[in-house]
Amino acid sequence: MRDVRIPVTVRGADATCDIVTFGENSVDLLAVVPELPARNSKRAVEQWARLPGGQMATAAAAAACLGWRTRYVGTFGSDEHGEFLRGWLELHGVDLSRSMTVAGVRNRMAVVLVESVAGTRTVLWDRDDRLAFPLASLPLTTFESSRLLIVDSTDMPAAI
């Protein structure tokens, strides 16, 4: 088996940030049910929750909770969900100074159907195309000044 070598430089004490995450944020509306309802039927919900989500927003908050200097780069909608997520990330100490809010656009959201008996989930999501991070606005110095970068595949051209 061959070693994989990646030509990467890990910054040390001169980094202004330990970790930067770039990509998705979401508000997840969870509906917990014993099992998914049959087609064309109704089912009572055991529990409702509105939770912050999205892979990169969650990773940023987790790293900040561990004491890392953390920055999230992504786009928020200008609605109540976007404000909720921004507030949640700031509460956890995540720097959002390089993120953008897109006026007049709804934030990404998902309805998550959680089956309590099986322990599975079904995700129904919606993301406005206008939330794509404009490649021309990508703050490259944000990434160069951090020790670690994590990206997802939400905005593939910008992630690459």
Side-chain angles (χ1 to χ4, degrees):
M1 184 178 201
R2 297 174 123 183
D3 289 340
V4 176
R5 298 186 188 274
I6 301 172
V8 92
T9 301
V10 177
R11 297 183 66 89
D14 63 331
T16 61
C17 191
D18 294 314
I19 183 171
V20 172
T21 65
F22 175 76
E24 184 178 288
N25 69 71
S26 179
V27 168
D28 296 341
L29 305 175
L30 271 64
V32 180
V33 294
E35 58 190 21
L36 289 180
R39 191 176 294 184
N40 200 27
S41 68
K42 295 181 180 183
R43 161 87 52 194
V45 173
E46 295 176 344
Q47 182 180 357
W48 281 104
R50 177 176 84 155
L51 299 173
Q55 294 123 192
M56 293 302 97
T58 301
C65 287
L66 292 172
W68 290 34
R69 297 169 298 167
T70 306
R71 181 175 297 132
Y72 168 75
V73 180
T75 53
F76 296 92
S78 61
D79 63 348
E80 175 188 345
H81 291 316
E83 290 176 21
F84 168 71
L85 276 169
R86 289 185 74 91
W88 178 75
L89 287 165
E90 288 171 343
L91 178 69
H92 285 82
V94 176
D95 174 8
L96 301 177
S97 63
R98 303 307 193 320
S99 291
M100 300 171 46
T101 297
V102 183
V105 175
R106 227 178 30 247
N107 202 80
R108 183 193 189 281
M109 63 172 290
V111 174
V112 183
L113 304 174
V114 179
E115 294 182 86
S116 61
V117 173
T120 60
R121 65 175 171 71
T122 300
V123 180
L124 310 170
W125 61 271
D126 178 52
R127 183 174 191 254
D128 191 305
D129 290 341
R130 294 174 289 175
L131 289 173
F133 205 101
L135 195 52
S137 300
L138 197 60
L140 295 178
T141 56
T142 295
F143 307 121
E144 294 168 351
S145 64
S146 68
R147 297 178 64 189
L148 179 65
L149 169 65
I150 302 175
V151 301
D152 66 19
S153 60
T154 299
D155 292 318
M156 191 60 79
I160 289 170

